[in-house]
């Protein structure tokens, strides 16, 4: 199992448009990812976020090779679509997670 966490930080003034993007575009893109075994699309609740909003997409792959393929192809497509609507205003943070132990 190989896991990838992608966090999107959206400024406060873009939250209404971002919410529509999540519902219509990002959710559908996640549903259509062939190599993703499971995913969780979440709003991040944190006392550390004072401005804007964070959204997280947690993706589970069968192996590291599938995750790397996603990073080199699909993530670029997602970011391009996102930038087409929001420019550089939404920040993207990717975190590669390598489970040591799991009961998923």
């Amino acid at each position: 199992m190989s896991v990838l966490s992608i966090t999107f930080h959206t400024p406060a003034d873009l939250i209404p448009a971002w919410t529509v993007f999540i519902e219509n575009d990002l959710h559908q893109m996640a549903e259509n990812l062939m190599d993703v075994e499971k995913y969780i699309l979440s709003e991040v609740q944190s006392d550390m976020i004072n401005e804007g909003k964070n959204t997280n997409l947690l993706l589970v792959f069968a192996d590291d090779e599938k995750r790397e393929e996603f990073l080199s192809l699909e993530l670029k497509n997602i970011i391009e679509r996102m930038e087409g609507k929001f420019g550089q205003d939404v920040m993207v943070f990717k975190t590669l997670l390598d489970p040591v132990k799991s009961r998923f």
Side-chain angles (χ1 to χ4, degrees), residues 78-96:
I78 291 171
I79 291 172
E80 283 177 9
R81 280 184 75 178
M82 187 191 68
E83 286 179 345
K85 293 189 181 225
F86 302 100
Q88 299 289 319
D89 292 329
V90 175
M91 293 184 283
V92 179
F93 303 94
K94 64 181 179 184
T95 305
L96 283 66

Side-chain angles (χ1 to χ4, degrees), residues 5-41:
S5 173
I6 307 168
T7 301
F8 304 91
H9 177 76
T10 309
D13 62 323
L14 293 177
I15 290 175
W18 179 252
T19 301
V20 171
F21 181 77
I22 290 171
E23 291 293 321
N24 297 333
D25 297 78
L26 190 56
H27 171 254
Q28 195 59 47
M29 285 186 270
E31 280 289 321
N32 292 333
L33 293 170
M34 305 264 309
D35 289 332
V36 174
E37 292 189 358
K38 297 178 183 180
Y39 77 89
I40 300 172
L41 181 58

Side-chain angles (χ1 to χ4, degrees), residues 30-91:
E31 280 289 321
N32 292 333
L33 293 170
M34 305 264 309
D35 289 332
V36 174
E37 292 189 358
K38 297 178 183 180
Y39 77 89
I40 300 172
L41 181 58
S42 307
E43 290 185 10
V44 177
Q45 295 184 17
S46 173
D47 294 336
M48 303 304 291
I49 302 171
N50 296 327
E51 294 181 10
K53 175 180 180 177
N54 281 356
T55 305
N56 184 268
L57 181 59
L58 185 71
L59 304 171
V60 179
F61 300 89
D63 54 43
D64 290 345
E65 183 179 324
K66 296 289 185 194
R67 180 174 68 183
E68 289 303 319
E69 288 174 13
F70 171 84
L71 288 168
S72 64
L73 301 171
E74 295 297 334
L75 183 57
K76 289 180 182 179
N77 293 335
I78 291 171
I79 291 172
E80 283 177 9
R81 280 184 75 178
M82 187 191 68
E83 286 179 345
K85 293 189 181 225
F86 302 100
Q88 299 289 319
D89 292 329
V90 175
M91 293 184 283

